[in-house]
Amino acid sequence: MTITLFRTLILYLLIIFSVRLMGKRQIGELQPSELVITILISNIASLPVENSEIPLIAGVVPILALVCFEVLVSAITLKSPAARRIVGGTPRVIIRDGVIDQRELRNLRFSVDDLMEELRIAGIFDLREVQMAVVETNGSISTALKTEAQPLTPRDLGQRVSPAPPPALVVNDGHLVPEGIRLSCKDRRWIEGYLQAQEVELREIFLMTIDAEGTPYLVRKDPPPRGRLPRRPAEGGMRR
């Protein structure tokens, strides 16, 4: 059991290192080659864990080889558009000027249900509002609305608005966030003084943000659930 746990831990750390080396991607953003590498690595890593008779090196070497191959392919595709098209494919336009390209949908094996689902995820429920829709190489759909369907912006109204960065997270579940404090242009002393004025301790805070105007927003942690109240004795039962 100890050997199995040790082998599992080594493979776990190796896979974490491999995924970090290949780059930060969400599962839905993986390119075809990255998805294949991920599946192969997971299958190879499971073999030494399930069968202790298989040497650990038999799983480590193929994983490292696949990672090195993926890094090499990524470097080639960065410099070669032709290689990028071969490995990752090219985006396909399925709606142009508000008209659905049914032939392109059939080539991509994209059903109407798939199209409508992706449009709903993008907040679009009326096909007539879509100027262009493109199926990206990772399978997601990028959309552009027609001019009359686009929301109004301050520029459309002739107004000039100064840029405002989003609020910075300075406290996360009772812990200070150094990067957020730096972005908020405050320091630890200022935050501690504010918390003292609010009569709240750092460990009691669920989250705290500071906006561009320096206004803090604080959310306290919920109180822990109370224990169950003792049951009352049933009527007619014995009482001590």
Side-chain angles (χ1 to χ4, degrees), residues 3-12 14 44-64:
I3 296 177
T4 302
L5 180 61
F6 180 71
R7 291 156 66 96
T8 303
L9 181 60
I10 291 179
L11 290 171
Y12 169 77
L14 178 61
I44 293 173
S46 65
L47 296 178
V49 174
E50 296 174 353
N51 189 354
S52 59
E53 296 180 358
I54 299 178
L56 185 61
I57 195 69
V60 172
V61 172
I63 291 176
L64 292 178

Side-chain angles (χ1 to χ4, degrees), residues 117-189:
E117 179 182 355
E118 292 293 335
L119 292 179
R120 288 194 298 270
I121 292 175
I124 302 172
F125 292 84
D126 192 345
L127 284 170
R128 294 171 296 180
E129 297 179 353
V130 182
Q131 176 67 28
M132 178 175 291
V134 181
V135 178
E136 306 294 351
T137 55
N138 59 11
S140 62
I141 294 183
S142 302
T143 57
L145 295 176
K146 293 181 178 179
T147 305
E148 60 271 18
Q150 294 179 4
L152 290 175
T153 63
R155 184 177 61 180
D156 298 330
L157 300 176
Q159 299 178 356
R160 301 185 64 180
V161 180
S162 57
L169 180 65
V170 296
V171 178
N172 181 0
D173 198 10
H175 299 279
L176 294 173
V177 182
E179 180 64 19
I181 296 175
R182 184 185 65 82
L183 294 175
S184 67
C185 299
K186 302 293 183 180
D187 55 18
R188 183 187 182 104
R189 183 178 301 176

Side-chain angles (χ1 to χ4, degrees), residues 24-119:
K24 294 183 178 180
R25 293 265 192 159
Q26 300 292 332
I27 294 298
E29 299 176 352
L30 293 177
Q31 298 294 335
S33 62
E34 296 170 337
L35 180 60
V36 171
I37 293 294
T38 303
I39 295 174
L40 288 175
I41 288 178
S42 63
N43 290 334
I44 293 173
S46 65
L47 296 178
V49 174
E50 296 174 353
N51 189 354
S52 59
E53 296 180 358
I54 299 178
L56 185 61
I57 195 69
V60 172
V61 172
I63 291 176
L64 292 178
L66 287 173
V67 172
C68 293
F69 178 74
E70 172 60 24
V71 173
L72 178 62
V73 170
S74 299
I76 294 175
T77 54
L78 283 176
K79 297 182 179 181
S80 173
R84 194 179 308 128
R85 288 193 297 269
I86 294 173
V87 175
T90 56
R92 303 290 186 88
V93 178
I94 56 175
I95 299 179
R96 191 190 302 273
D97 297 330
V99 179
I100 299 177
D101 191 336
Q102 299 181 27
R103 180 178 179 182
E104 198 65 59
L105 282 179
R106 287 193 296 269
N107 292 337
L108 294 172
R109 293 180 292 278
F110 226 80
S111 67
V112 175
D113 293 333
D114 296 331
L115 175 62
M116 297 303 298
E117 179 182 355
E118 292 293 335
L119 292 179

